[in-house]
Amino acid sequence: MSELNDLYQEIILDHNKNPRNWGKIDLPSNFAEGFNPLCGDKIELYVNYNGDKIQDIKFEGNGCAISKASASVMTTMVKGKTKDEITKIYNEFHQIITEGCNHDHYIDENLEVFCGVKEYPGRVKCAALAWHTLNDILKRIDNNG
Ligand code: ZN
């Protein structure tokens, strides 16, 4: 079990060091900022949404390894996806960070690294920051709808 934890820690540190989809999008269709005052995590999220899908997504920000890794993993998972598909992933992610992992049901392997977050209540908001910021964007897309 501790070997698994080490593996997950390595994945998180890798995403923290080499975040995927890092940077800005010129003239994004949508933009949102997120802030987690408990830890000081900040994120700027750039999205190009059209044809009912996220065509491109990038982020920049400052924060702890968990917040950055979570944003990085999120961008790799939602690129090319529709809003409904993203909502499903978000619901699964949210369940994992608040309730932990129930291995009786399928868990996306990209999300498995966050199974241990529940053990650190102070980190739940760090892990959720990028997703909450993306939710702000998706809600606005809804309203324009
Ligand atoms: Zn944090």
Side-chain angles (χ1 to χ4, degrees):
M1 195 57 202
S2 85
E3 255 175 54
L4 267 184
N5 286 340
D6 287 348
L7 173 69
Y8 292 151
Q9 197 168 345
E10 232 171 77
I11 294 169
I12 285 174
L13 291 178
D14 175 56
H15 275 275
N16 180 50
K17 210 171 154 191
N18 306 298
R20 321 301 195 261
N21 301 302
W22 179 263
K24 294 179 163 81
I25 294 176
D26 293 333
L27 304 174
S29 68
N30 296 85
F31 171 79
E33 281 176 294
F35 179 52
N36 169 20
L38 291 179
C39 179
D41 308 315
K42 281 181 195 161
I43 182 172
E44 296 173 359
L45 195 60
Y46 301 81
V47 166
N48 263 337
Y49 190 93
N50 60 58
D52 293 336
K53 281 184 178 140
I54 287 187
Q55 306 288 358
D56 200 9
I57 180 166
K58 283 186 189 291
F59 81 102
E60 284 187 351
N62 273 306
C64 65
I66 297 271
S67 72
K68 219 157 150 187
S70 179
S72 175
V73 170
M74 180 190 81
T75 60
T76 66
M77 293 184 79
V78 303
K79 206 181 210 176
K81 298 276 197 324
T82 66
K83 227 172 83 168
D84 284 353
E85 288 168 329
I86 294 165
T87 301
K88 266 184 215 157
I89 301 169
Y90 170 71
N91 288 341
E92 191 187 354
F93 174 80
H94 191 257
Q95 191 178 354
I96 284 172
I97 61 168
T98 55
E99 293 169 29
C101 290
N102 175 359
H103 285 276
D104 290 341
H105 90 101
Y106 170 77
I107 295 164
D108 189 299
E109 60 177 14
N110 294 295
L111 295 177
E112 252 183 286
V113 285
F114 301 106
C115 286
V117 169
K118 178 188 167 261
E119 310 302 325
Y120 306 92
R123 293 289 177 205
V124 170
K125 283 198 158 54
C126 302
L129 178 65
W131 287 93
H132 286 163
T133 309
L134 180 62
N135 259 357
D136 287 345
I137 287 179
L138 293 180
K139 264 186 237 156
R140 266 182 271 147
I141 290 171
D142 217 10
N143 294 339
N144 295 341

